[in-house]
Amino acid sequence: CEVNVNCEEGQNWQNQKQGVVKLYAKVGSSYFWCSGVILNNTKQDFNGLLLTAAQCSKSFGGGISSDEDLSQWIFYFNYESPGCITSGAPTQTIVGATRIATSETPSNIGSDFLLLKFQSEIPAKYNPYYCGWDAGTGNSLSGVCIHHPDGDVKKISTYTAPLGSGTWGSTPDTHWIVH
């Protein structure tokens, strides 16, 4: 269900794929692979924001990335195979981010998000795509998920069934369920 983003399934998503970033997260002495998405803000000033999951900043032992840890995170841009067959991927990176907001608070709201700001500007030669969002309450009827599963090159998965609303613990409507 996951194919390289430059296979036929990804042809209609060539702009949006530029907004997906692979990240190497540090939490104390542990390291993890995750994916995130570059976001624009309501000012539309391309301010270097990245949205990922709060779980990317947690270790299995329960530790959370410190500010020092976040300054060592590595963000990989355009980490994808040039074709449908997996082969080498370019290395274009930025190091370091600052935490803006997270669901990992004493009053955890049940969601799973981490909003970061890069400590340096994204070079124009990386051809970044700044994704937006829809604050509406409707769910998507179809679409794609683009990410780096387990640190692999960029993959795409298509869904054609409406998203469902999920529950985390006893908190309803915390996330989308994708089939």
Side-chain angles (χ1 to χ4, degrees):
C1 66
E2 297 174 346
V3 297
N4 288 343
V5 74
N6 288 319
C7 293
E8 183 178 338
E9 291 90 334
Q11 291 310 304
N12 292 333
W13 304 95
Q14 293 300 294
N15 289 330
Q16 293 82 358
K17 76 174 185 176
Q18 298 296 116
V20 178
V21 175
K22 173 180 163 176
L23 58 101
Y24 194 51
K26 180 181 187 306
V27 185
S29 60
S30 300
Y31 295 86
F32 307 93
W33 292 114
C34 277
S35 296
V37 62
I38 305 167
L39 289 180
N40 209 347
N41 57 28
T42 55
K43 292 181 185 178
Q44 297 185 5
D45 62 4
F46 310 104
N47 202 10
L49 299 175
L50 181 118
L51 182 65
T52 189
Q55 66 186 355
C56 295
S57 68
K58 288 178 62 175
S59 70
F60 295 115
I64 296 175
S65 289
S66 66
D67 292 344
E68 174 64 25
D69 289 340
L70 287 170
S71 74
Q72 297 174 51
W73 282 29
I74 304 171
F75 302 90
Y76 295 82
F77 295 77
N78 303 308
Y79 192 79
E80 63 193 56
S81 184
C84 199
I85 305 299
T86 299
S87 61
T91 302
Q92 297 174 321
T93 61
I94 289 178
V95 177
T98 304
R99 186 181 352 260
I100 302 295
T102 183
S103 59
E104 291 299 328
T105 63
S107 60
N108 188 329
I109 60 174
S111 189
D112 182 17
F113 74 90
L114 174 62
L115 181 64
L116 303 172
K117 182 173 185 331
F118 295 113
Q119 290 180 340
S120 58
E121 287 188 34
I122 302 170
K125 69 182 180 183
Y126 290 7
N127 195 26
Y129 183 86
Y130 292 82
C131 298
W133 65 91
D134 181 345
T137 58
N139 57 346
S140 171
L141 302 178
S142 63
V144 299
C145 297
I146 302 173
H147 65 126
H148 296 278
D150 202 26
D152 198 357
V153 294
K154 202 174 290 176
K155 303 289 185 175
I156 188 167
S157 300
T158 303
Y159 64 94
T160 56
L163 296 177
S165 181
T167 298
W168 182 259
S170 61
T171 308
D173 303 324
T174 57
H175 60 281
W176 294 114
I177 297 175
V178 182
H179 295 282

